[in-house]
């Protein structure tokens, strides 16, 4: 699932567009082409009426849009009513690469590119905005957020468009400038948004589901208090797969990916073999935080072992907003076993659809659409909402320690 998205995006970045940039090609042409492809997806068939209404609105707005960033927002907004979190639109220009970053001449060319110059700068007094946002309470969506030694952004409500904007207020990196619009945040549900804008590292136009609460961005890591620890994201190990013996009666497993491609799958297979016949302690913590998914070819290998273990032992599964796709399905499967509980926060909500050979370069050559072509109906109720934990964990202290305290209670 998710690993296929990554592969398809890389593939698209290495090939020429199927459609050449033609004179007069505009955002409306991209909307029309995307619409034709969307109507063939399984998600569209479930939401025809809502989609048609949105299409009518977007197609009208697209007539007056010339900026690449603004067109990108419209294209991803068109996908919202089909409620399919795997389907997204990205720029074909992958933005800042290591090669460009290390070559002054290429970097200068990059700063003059259509992608770079599309990050428009709203006409406003940034000093006044900064002062106004400083008084935003911690729980408010609006406010000042930072990634230490990288960027400080201001998030403000755009009343006319019923969304939020994130604008760069301070930058310690060369490819982001003060005043640039970093992203548009469209509300999906409480504290959850579709973030449409630039990749922090490359400036590629991307879109993803972001959760903002308790003063931080759960997905990309912006914080109102830069010294605040992100316990929702911090696992006990930096390795993709790891095992730690926390005490005489608790084993901890870090499962960071379910990629079904080699060599990643080979690493998983080797790790799972080390678990065979050795999980003997009565309590097992399985950490699925930040697991971007993959495929059952990987996860089923682990599930088979865990099912045997669960018959006579207790399992505690940790999930968060960055638990995606097949990792969400895996968490659901574990949650249905005897003696198993889910802890943490709700998952991303990207689990009902799959991508099967359905990536398209849009008409004008500036965008690539990644659409799904297969659905699994038993997960539809979780799409966009995510899998909820049996018990939420506090953002104020280490999540593994909270579970250890839970286990120790009589």
């Amino acid at each position: 699932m998710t690993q296929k998205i990554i592969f398809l995006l890389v593939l698209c970045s290495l090939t020429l567009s199927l459609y050449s940039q033609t004179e007069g090609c505009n955002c409306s042409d991209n909307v029309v082409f995307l619409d034709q492809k969307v109507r063939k997806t399984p998600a569209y068939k479930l939401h025809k009426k809502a989609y048609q209404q949105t299409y009518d609105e977007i197609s009208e707005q697209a007539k007056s849009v010339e900026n690449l960033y603004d067109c990108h927002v419209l294209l991803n907004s068109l996908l919202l009513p089909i409620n399919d979190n795997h389907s997204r639109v990205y720029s074909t220009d992958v933005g800042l690469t290591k090669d460009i970053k290390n070559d002054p001449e290429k970097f200068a060319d990059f700063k003059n590119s259509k992608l770079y110059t599309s990050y428009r700068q709203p006409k406003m007094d940034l000093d006044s905005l900064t002062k106004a946002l400083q008084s935003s309470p911690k729980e408010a969506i609006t406010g000042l957020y930072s990634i230490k030694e990288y960027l400080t952004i201001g998030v403000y409500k755009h009343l006319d468009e019923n969304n939020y904007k994130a604008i760069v207020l301070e930058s310690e990196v060369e490819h982001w400038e003060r005043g640039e619009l970093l992203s548009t945040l469209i509300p999906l549900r409480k504290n959850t948004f579709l973030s449409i804008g630039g990749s922090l590292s490359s400036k590629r136009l991307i879109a993803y589901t972001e959760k903002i609460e308790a003063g931080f961005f759960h997905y990309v890591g912006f914080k109102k208090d830069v010294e605040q620890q992100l316990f929702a994201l911090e696992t006990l190990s930096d390795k993709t797969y790891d095992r730690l013996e926390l005490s005489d009666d608790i084993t901890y497993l870090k499962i960071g990916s379910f990629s079904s491609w080699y060599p990643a799958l080979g690493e998983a297979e080797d790790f799972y073999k080390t678990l065979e016949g050795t999980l003997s302690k009565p309590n097992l913590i399985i950490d699925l935080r930040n697991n971007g998914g993959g495929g059952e070819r990987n996860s089923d290998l682990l599930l088979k072992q865990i099912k045997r273990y669960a018959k006579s032992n207790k399992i505690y599964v940790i999930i968060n907003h960055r638990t995606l796709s097949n990792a969400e399905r895996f968490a659901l499967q574990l949650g249905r076993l005897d003696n198993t509980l889910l802890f943490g926060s709700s998952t991303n909500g990207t689990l009902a659809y799959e991508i099967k050979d359905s990536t398209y370069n849009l008409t004008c050559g500036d965008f690539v659409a990644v659409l799904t072509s297969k659905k699994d109906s038993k997960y539809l109720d979780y799409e966009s909402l995510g899998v909820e934990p049996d018990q939420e964990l506090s953002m104020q202290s280490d999540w593994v320690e909270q579970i250890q305290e839970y286990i120790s209670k009589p």
Side-chain angles (χ1 to χ4, degrees):
M1 296 175 75
T2 300
Q3 80 275 19
K4 293 182 180 178
I5 298 177
I6 297 171
F7 173 77
L8 291 169
L9 291 178
V10 172
L11 180 62
C12 289
S13 71
L14 296 176
T15 59
L16 294 176
S17 171
L18 296 177
Y19 297 86
S20 61
Q21 180 77 42
T22 58
E23 185 176 354
C25 191
N26 54 42
C27 190
S28 290
D29 297 323
N30 285 316
V31 169
V32 170
F33 182 88
L34 179 61
D35 170 64
Q36 294 171 349
K37 300 303 180 183
V38 170
R39 291 177 189 270
K40 297 178 182 179
T41 65
Y44 164 76
K45 296 177 175 61
L46 299 176
H47 305 281
K48 292 181 180 180
K49 186 176 180 180
Y51 175 81
Q52 185 60 52
Q53 181 179 345
T54 299
Y55 173 73
D56 293 339
E57 296 171 357
I58 295 295
S59 58
E60 185 62 31
Q61 295 174 41
K63 294 177 182 178
S64 59
V65 168
E66 298 179 358
N67 179 277
L68 195 68
Y69 177 100
D70 294 335
C71 187
H72 179 246
V73 172
L74 287 184
L75 292 169
N76 279 285
S77 297
L78 178 60
L79 299 174
L80 279 174
I82 65 173
N83 192 37
D84 173 2
N85 272 348
H86 268 106
S87 291
R88 296 284 185 254
V89 175
Y90 307 83
S91 64
T92 50
D93 187 337
V94 298
L96 183 65
T97 62
K98 186 176 181 180
D99 181 49
I100 293 174
K101 186 177 181 179
N102 293 332
D103 187 321
E105 186 174 337
K106 290 181 180 179
F107 186 76
D109 290 339
F110 171 60
K111 293 191 72 171
N112 290 317
S113 67
K114 187 175 182 180
L115 173 66
Y116 192 99
T117 57
S118 73
Y119 289 89
R120 56 187 175 86
Q121 301 192 6
K123 296 180 180 179
M124 60 174 62
D125 186 325
L126 297 181
D127 291 333
S128 296
L129 176 65
T130 300
K131 185 175 181 180
L133 293 178
Q134 284 174 340
S135 60
S136 292
K138 183 177 181 179
E139 295 301 323
I141 300 301
T142 57
L144 302 178
Y145 297 81
S146 298
I147 293 178
K148 198 170 185 179
E149 299 180 351
Y150 202 80
L151 289 177
T152 294
I153 61 171
V155 176
Y156 62 94
K157 184 73 176 290
H158 196 296
L159 298 178
D160 293 339
E161 299 179 11
N162 191 32
N163 59 43
Y164 293 82
K165 305 290 187 184
I167 190 170
V168 177
L169 296 177
E170 296 179 18
S171 175
E172 297 185 50
V173 292
E174 289 185 295
H175 59 287
W176 285 107
E177 299 178 25
R178 174 175 164 84
E180 288 185 318
L181 192 60
L182 175 72
S183 62
T184 297
L185 299 160
I186 299 177
L188 300 177
R189 59 187 187 276
K190 184 180 179 181
N191 296 328
T192 305
F193 304 82
L194 177 62
S195 178
I196 311 173
S199 161
L200 297 185
S201 60
S202 70
K203 227 165 184 175
R204 184 182 194 177
L205 287 167
I206 60 175
Y208 57 92
T209 304
E210 180 61 90
K211 185 176 182 180
I212 307 174
E213 68 174 348
F216 74 91
F217 284 54
H218 281 243
Y219 202 87
V220 295
F222 279 110
K223 298 180 285 187
K224 286 188 174 180
D225 178 1
V226 292
E227 302 304 326
Q228 176 188 12
Q229 282 190 270
L230 295 181
F231 290 107
L233 304 181
E234 294 176 357
T235 59
L236 296 188
S237 172
D238 292 332
K239 297 179 180 179
T240 304
Y241 304 96
D242 205 357
R243 173 179 180 166
L244 302 172
E245 303 301 333
L246 302 184
S247 68
D248 291 340
D249 60 354
I250 303 174
T251 296
Y252 168 92
L253 299 182
K254 159 75 180 298
I255 309 297
S257 172
F258 285 128
S259 174
S260 291
W261 293 347
Y262 289 101
L265 178 58
E267 182 182 356
E269 290 172 335
D270 291 342
F271 179 74
Y272 299 153
K273 286 179 182 177
T274 67
L275 304 180
E276 294 177 1
T278 67
L279 295 176
S280 56
K281 294 181 179 179
N283 300 291
L284 178 65
I285 298 174
I286 301 178
D287 198 340
L288 296 178
R289 282 178 290 178
N290 315 330
N291 185 320
E296 294 176 353
R297 186 181 178 188
N298 180 320
S299 59
D300 280 354
L301 296 174
L302 179 59
L303 182 62
K304 184 177 180 180
Q305 291 196 52
I306 300 303
K307 281 183 174 180
R308 291 196 298 266
Y309 175 89
K311 292 179 180 179
S312 55
N313 300 283
K314 294 182 179 180
I315 302 172
Y316 309 86
V317 183
I318 311 179
I319 54 177
N320 67 359
H321 180 69
R322 292 179 64 175
T323 304
L324 279 91
S325 194
N326 188 56
E328 297 178 83
R329 293 185 176 190
F330 184 76
L332 272 176
Q333 290 173 307
L334 292 186
R336 292 166 181 159
L337 299 177
D338 292 337
N339 302 318
T340 300
L341 292 173
L342 305 183
F343 287 78
S345 61
S346 59
T347 63
N348 193 272
T350 310
L351 65 168
Y353 297 94
E354 296 183 45
I355 296 167
K356 300 279 187 182
D357 302 321
S358 48
T359 300
Y360 309 96
N361 287 278
L362 303 192
T363 306
C364 298
D366 295 317
F367 300 104
V368 56
V370 179
L371 305 177
T372 59
S373 54
K374 182 179 178 181
K375 79 172 188 294
D376 194 325
S377 298
K378 64 177 175 288
Y379 297 114
L380 286 173
D381 289 343
Y382 300 95
E383 188 70 13
S384 296
L385 298 176
V387 179
E388 293 289 340
D390 296 302
Q391 182 165 323
E392 291 191 5
L393 296 177
S394 169
M395 299 290 178
Q396 308 307 315
S397 60
D398 184 271
W399 282 17
V400 173
E401 290 180 2
Q402 290 183 62
I403 295 177
Q404 287 179 283
E405 292 175 6
Y406 180 91
I407 294 172
S408 66
K409 291 180 181 178

